[in-house]
Amino acid sequence: MKQLLSGNEAIARGAYHAGVQVASAYPGTPSTEILENMAGYEDVYAEWSTNEKVAMEVGLGAATGGVRALVSMKHVGLNVAADAFFGASNVGVRGGLVVVCADDPGMHSSQNEQDNRHYARFAKVPMLEPSNSQEAYSIMAPAFSLSEELDSPIMVRTTTRISHAKSVVDVNGDRPELGPPPPFIHSPSKYVMVPSYARPRHPLAEQRILRAAQLFEEFPFNEVIWGDRKLGIISAGVAYQYAREAFPQASFLKLVTTYPLPQQLIRSFAAEVETLLVVEELDPFMEEIIKSMGIAVEGKSMFPITGELNTHIVLQGAMKANLISGTQQGAAATTPTSKPLPPRPPLLCPGCPHRGAAYVLSRLRFGPKGSIPQAKVGGRKGKEWHIATSDIGCYTLMVYSPLFAIDSCVCMGASITLAHGLEKAGVAEKTVSVLGDSTFMHTGIPGLVNMVYNRSHSTVIILDNQTTAMTGHQGHPASGRSAKNEQAPKVDMAELARGIGVKDVNVISAFNLKEIEETIRRCTANDEPSVIVVQGPCPLYERISGTAFRVNEERCNGCKLCLDIGCPAITFDGDKAYIVPPMCVGESCSLCVQVCARKAIEKESD
Amino acid sequence: MLKKVDILMTGVGGQGVIMASDILTTAALATGYDVKKTDSLGMAQRGGSVTSHVRIGEKVFSPMIPPGGADFLVSYERLEAVRSLALLRPDGIAIVDSVAVTPLSVTIDGYHYPSIDEVRESLSAITQRAYVLPAMEMATKLGNPRASSVLCLGFLSVFLELPEQSWFDEIRRHLPSRLHDVNLAAFNAGVEAAQQSRKDEGE
Ligand SMILES: Cc1ncc(C[n+]2csc(CCOP(=O)(O)OP(=O)(O)O)c2C)c(N)n1
């Protein structure tokens, strides 16, 4: 049956047909839909884990019990899960364990573009890379068999253009009949990694990489496509698609097994072609290994090491290196207008519960000094400014105009801990840290424990919108909702903070500016650690709508105070504010009403 | 057999760009062509720019359309049409909703939002085959402004050789049944608008 599937849908379907019984993940673009699809299968146990390390260990536990398990995450998730990933490599598996990592070259929605292929080599875990949705579907069953045969997790690495691009898949498999898990096998020398048991495991890992390299010589999805033998190209993943399009005449060795590399296959291909190229995104991962085999090959001398590739970039690189001649058609490189186009970055939505806290922080002079006109922060010259360390989520968007409310966003969990470090360094400015509910559950908690234990004075603001909004509204342990969209036990974050030892814990509404301001002022003035949970639902997730507010044109004097909250629903029509009716969520928010000094924003019925 | 066709669709998060390109892609699949599509949406649910690349042909490799390679540009917002113009091939066909969705960078930071004439001028630097129509307005009159995404598909369909039935099937499959009537009407309105434009050109 031919279907149009994204890479992520194909991976899930392939895993389902390979008999996966347990799937665990933490959301992260571009990997999220893998677990969302797994959760749609009734006979698969699927969970959003608290974080990626937890997800990896859950998968390993299931595999240890003899069933097939799928773990998925975005590239930086593997940093969080690295300890468990190396652990899994060390102890090996019983049921197959496949770890899918989705990289994001070009950083469409990530904080970096690390190349996770290094993890496969680093952890001595065999790796497969699909180059379209068909392969993503078809390699899953072999991946699980390999995992069991090699007693090792298998890494499947995708990138955004594989995970999210849709292409045609012949879905030709089916779900096998599955019984209960086999009886548990107690095997301390395999699973209890005291040094005396761990030492013999290392040579086993080395042997399995050699064995994998042998198996990969015959791996059915590696493919040689003969064309003109003047130019031979070794490539994998979506880079192969760009290269195929850029050099329709060349010969190709398309690899799905990218660690360990099938060296015989590469040698015999190289021997047949005059010039050999590696086309790969990000680091020269294959290129360096092939060079170390003593084979003359070019790659990063022509193609960029940063960002995404595409057909155009591949062609340009080849032309610059005089590998091909001629001018490239098309490419009206400049935008044909004289004035710079207005940017349209993502924004906090109308009705977003993060906006109130962001606005108050910027008015209280938290965030980068100088971004906001002095007049707007009630500022006599020389007034002190403060520091807001942030985390990763929708609220990170408060870095943009006109809020400019935060000073950092490094990696998940790094808000609380950076603020603590700043304080302990003796930095004079007051600090607050800002993070979302999902992020607090992910890696925020240890930071808060650390703050209490080590006597911090700082304030933690948890923006609780009851969902993981940025990645598309997944459940998490404080949301009360499971991956299968069922009701789930709900962690009470305020109680948790009290249990950790925070005495000053506040739970307030996200839409009451006065209360937010008073609470932040009080908490940042006192000498003890404090937590403020700011609660308000995500309007996108809850599909909140209401009668739009409207500007009373007689009262509006065009002062533009209402623009300071950065609401996309408010624009200016001539010299008066105008609220775009279908965008405004109405009374559930009302921040603009609260900031308008002339009471010019009113309900439709007023 | 249809030759290779590359279609770029663009607009603002929430306008239905992705759904429209899904309808187009599956309608093309039903005819047995190879198709690929990829969306650039960054964090688009949050009102940012969205683009979707759709490629149809006998065999498609890269999911992304190269610069200057798109045969069609379908834009649901006029500023976004200008932003994506570099991908349109010279004398490719542009179908642009004249509607303006003003970004905050205009309201707050003083950027200039292009007037309809400036947009036409930019388009004409690349192609003489630009159709600027009030799609959102037309869809609003039919009963739902959001049906503009399907209305523009109807306009596009006149230039593509896909069977009418597969369009209708996919519109029904991608939308809840309460929205079928208004969207099918919007599709037809798009078809009519395109036929009218072509007639006018012929004269
Ligand atoms: C280690 C890691 N895992 C996953 C992600 C992807 N990611 C970005 S923000 C985010 C969570 C956002 O949820 P929350 O903190 O509740 O904030 P919200 O978006 O709901 O405001 C996730 C999972 C990441 N950047 N890093």
Side-chain angles (χ1 to χ4, degrees):
Chain A
M1 186 180 42
K2 292 223 163 149
Q3 282 183 302
L4 193 71
L5 298 180
S6 71
N8 284 347
E9 289 167 326
I11 284 170
R13 198 76 64 87
Y16 181 67
H17 287 169
V20 163
Q21 285 175 288
V22 171
S24 52
Y26 181 74
T29 315
S31 70
T32 310
E33 300 80 6
I34 298 170
L35 191 103
E36 286 178 336
N37 277 276
M38 294 308 288
Y41 298 117
E42 252 174 53
D43 47 348
V44 172
Y45 171 80
E47 72 169 37
W48 289 122
S49 305
T50 308
N51 64 34
E52 293 87 350
K53 173 175 154 62
V54 172
M56 185 77 73
E57 290 158 1
V58 169
L60 178 61
T64 305
V67 311
R68 289 185 166 182
L70 181 76
V71 180
S72 50
M73 62 195 63
K74 72 182 286 167
H75 59 339
V76 288
L78 192 51
N79 300 337
V80 176
D83 206 11
F85 185 58
F86 280 73
S89 165
N90 207 11
V91 301
V93 302
R94 193 163 158 228
L97 175 63
V98 171
V99 177
V100 185
C101 262
D103 286 15
D104 189 17
M107 293 179 262
H108 295 278
S109 32
S110 303
Q111 66 269 38
N112 79 8
E113 55 179 358
Q114 66 186 44
D115 188 335
N116 270 22
R117 293 177 298 172
H118 297 292
Y119 268 114
R121 193 178 183 186
F122 194 8
K124 303 180 194 299
V125 169
M127 169 169 59
L128 308 178
E129 290 187 71
S131 73
N132 57 26
S133 298
Q134 179 70 63
E135 281 175 4
Y137 170 76
S138 300
I139 64 173
M140 293 312 288
F144 281 98
S145 309
L146 272 170
S147 171
E148 284 151 8
E149 180 175 350
L150 296 169
D151 188 14
S152 167
I154 300 290
M155 176 163 156
V156 169
R157 185 242 190 189
T158 69
T159 58
T160 301
R161 299 288 177 193
I162 295 297
S163 275
H164 280 176
K166 291 190 175 176
S167 58
V168 184
V169 180
D170 183 8
V171 182
N172 52 11
D174 220 335
R175 177 94 167 156
E177 287 281 333
L178 296 162
F184 183 74
I185 299 173
H186 297 268
S187 177
S189 62
K190 180 160 157 51
Y191 293 113
V192 184
M193 288 299 98
V194 287
S196 58
Y197 289 160
R199 269 179 219 112
R201 298 281 320 163
H202 185 187
L204 289 178
E206 300 297 339
Q207 282 162 25
R208 84 167 167 241
I209 286 298
L210 296 178
R211 175 81 187 117
Q214 261 174 5
L215 292 172
F216 287 173
E217 296 290 349
E218 303 292 331
F219 194 72
F221 297 93
N222 293 333
E223 198 181 347
V224 178
I225 300 123
W226 289 118
D228 186 346
R229 302 199 181 201
K230 279 207 192 75
L231 179 61
I233 296 172
I234 299 177
S235 192
V238 76
Y240 161 75
Q241 306 290 356
Y242 304 144
R244 246 341 259 284
E245 187 161 305
F247 307 107
Q249 317 296 341
S251 294
F252 281 86
L253 172 57
K254 181 205 68 192
L255 293 176
V256 168
T257 60
T258 49
Y259 190 75
L261 289 176
Q263 300 207 357
Q264 291 314 320
L265 194 59
I266 290 171
R267 273 185 208 288
S268 54
F269 180 75
E272 296 280 325
V273 297
E274 261 173 53
T275 306
L276 186 66
L277 290 188
V278 172
V279 180
E280 57 191 325
E281 272 177 332
L282 301 175
D283 295 343
F285 180 79
M286 294 193 285
E287 181 185 344
E288 282 177 356
I289 298 175
I290 295 169
K291 277 187 171 149
S292 76
M293 290 161 58
I295 294 173
V297 60
E298 291 299 325
K300 291 297 157 185
S301 59
M302 276 177 224
F303 310 116
I305 198 167
T306 58
E308 270 194 302
L309 296 181
N310 58 39
T311 307
H312 179 67
I313 293 171
V314 170
L315 272 173
Q316 270 186 327
M319 273 189 301
K320 254 197 246 145
N322 289 323
L323 190 74
I324 52 172
S325 58
T327 50
Q328 216 191 317
Q329 52 96 230
T334 51
T335 313
T337 50
S338 47
K339 303 190 183 94
L341 292 180
R344 197 189 297 273
L347 297 166
L348 297 180
C349 306
C352 176
H354 301 336
R355 176 171 287 108
Y359 174 78
V360 169
L361 283 173
S362 74
R363 288 317 96 154
L364 294 179
R365 297 182 303 281
F366 283 88
K369 190 172 179 173
S371 299
I372 298 186
Q374 285 283 326
K376 296 209 167 168
V377 283
R380 290 177 302 277
K381 271 216 180 95
K383 267 212 158 183
E384 58 185 4
W385 284 71
H386 315 293
I387 303 169
T389 55
S390 179
D391 229 295
I392 308 188
C394 286
Y395 47 90
T396 317
L397 299 173
M398 65 172 89
V399 68
Y400 291 129
S401 172
L403 296 163
F404 303 113
I406 55 169
D407 289 290
S408 71
C409 159
V410 180
C411 60
M412 285 188 78
S415 53
I416 302 179
T417 38
L418 253 66
H420 182 71
L422 281 161
E423 181 185 322
K424 294 303 174 188
V427 171
E429 284 88 347
K430 272 188 227 168
T431 58
V432 300
S433 43
V434 186
L435 75 172
D437 45 354
S438 186
T439 302
F440 182 66
M441 287 291 124
H442 178 276
T443 32
I445 297 168
L448 184 61
V449 173
N450 186 66
M451 244 178 81
V452 172
Y453 171 54
N454 290 307
R455 299 180 194 284
S456 176
H457 300 157
S458 193
T459 299
V460 175
I461 302 175
I462 303 173
L463 300 174
D464 178 12
N465 59 359
Q466 283 126 55
T467 185
T468 315
M470 178 108 271
T471 44
H473 306 108
Q474 293 74 29
H476 62 70
S479 73
R481 201 166 43 87
S482 76
K484 298 220 174 204
N485 217 359
E486 286 154 354
Q487 214 192 335
K490 182 171 170 163
V491 173
D492 181 331
M493 292 186 290
E495 274 308 307
L496 179 63
R498 286 189 194 102
I500 288 169
V502 182
K503 301 225 165 50
D504 187 1
V505 178
N506 308 267
V507 180
I508 60 175
S509 157
F511 300 105
N512 184 337
L513 290 177
K514 195 154 164 275
E515 186 184 22
I516 297 172
E517 178 171 340
E518 281 169 8
T519 313
I520 294 179
R521 276 187 192 278
R522 191 176 47 70
C523 286
T524 53
N526 68 16
D527 278 351
E528 55 173 330
S530 47
V531 167
I532 307 172
V533 183
V534 183
Q535 283 183 333
C538 170
L540 270 192
Y541 178 57
E542 300 285 346
R543 296 177 189 276
I544 291 172
S545 64
T547 312
F549 286 110
R550 156 184 78 142
V551 176
N552 179 324
E553 289 189 21
E554 269 148 46
R555 285 203 218 130
C556 176
N557 66 349
C559 72
K560 299 199 171 175
L561 264 183
C562 54
L563 293 187
D564 292 343
I565 60 173
C567 177
I570 307 177
T571 68
F572 251 66
D573 188 9
D575 53 3
K576 308 276 177 184
Y578 173 71
I579 295 175
V580 184
M583 291 177 83
C584 175
V585 302
E587 272 193 275
S588 66
C589 169
S590 83
L591 293 188
C592 56
V593 179
Q594 296 172 49
V595 297
C596 178
R598 297 181 61 92
K599 308 236 173 303
I601 300 177
E602 27 179 60
K603 275 196 290 190
E604 201 61 63
S605 53
D606 282 359
Chain B
M1 175 73 185
L2 184 110
K3 63 176 178 8
K4 191 174 172 69
V5 182
D6 289 341
I7 302 153
L8 186 78
M9 307 185 82
T10 174
V12 179
Q15 280 190 318
V17 179
I18 307 290
M19 192 219 27
S21 84
D22 275 339
I23 291 174
L24 165 61
T25 321
T26 40
L29 175 69
T31 61
Y33 300 122
D34 190 18
V35 287
K36 281 190 181 169
K37 75 156 245 175
T38 182
D39 308 320
S40 290
L41 34 76
M43 303 181 260
Q45 257 189 326
R46 318 293 175 264
S49 309
V50 183
T51 61
S52 182
H53 298 229
V54 178
R55 311 195 76 185
I56 308 171
E58 256 175 275
K59 176 79 194 145
V60 182
F61 291 109
S62 165
M64 263 187 294
I65 302 169
D71 303 289
F72 294 89
L73 167 66
V74 180
S75 183
Y76 293 111
E77 202 268 354
R78 67 180 198 237
L79 164 62
E80 294 311 313
V82 181
R83 206 193 299 285
S84 289
L85 255 186
L87 277 125
L88 187 63
R89 80 172 154 73
D91 278 324
I93 292 174
I95 301 164
V96 179
D97 188 342
S98 53
V99 74
V101 181
T102 316
L104 271 192
S105 58
V106 172
T107 317
I108 293 177
D109 304 323
Y111 276 89
H112 170 72
Y113 188 91
S115 70
I116 194 87
D117 287 339
E118 286 169 313
V119 170
R120 281 184 197 280
E121 199 183 314
S122 301
L123 289 167
S124 68
I126 303 278
T127 179
Q128 298 312 308
R129 304 173 74 195
Y131 302 94
V132 181
L133 69 158
M136 170 102 78
E137 225 178 281
M138 291 161 73
T140 308
K141 278 189 198 134
L142 292 171
N144 190 336
R146 294 180 56 101
S148 68
S149 55
V150 170
L151 193 143
C152 291
L153 285 181
F155 200 104
L156 173 71
S157 73
V158 172
F159 300 89
L160 300 177
E161 297 160 24
L162 306 179
E164 204 170 43
Q165 194 54 45
S166 51
W167 285 107
F168 293 154
D169 291 347
E170 293 307 327
I171 290 169
R172 286 203 189 88
R173 219 165 54 80
H174 281 87
L175 287 159
S177 50
R178 68 191 156 80
L179 295 176
H180 286 179
D181 286 349
V182 68
N183 277 282
L184 292 172
F187 186 85
N188 288 330
V191 171
E192 275 165 34
Q195 282 163 345
Q196 190 58 43
S197 301
R198 286 184 125 184
K199 228 199 256 161
D200 295 348
E201 277 170 9
E203 276 157 14

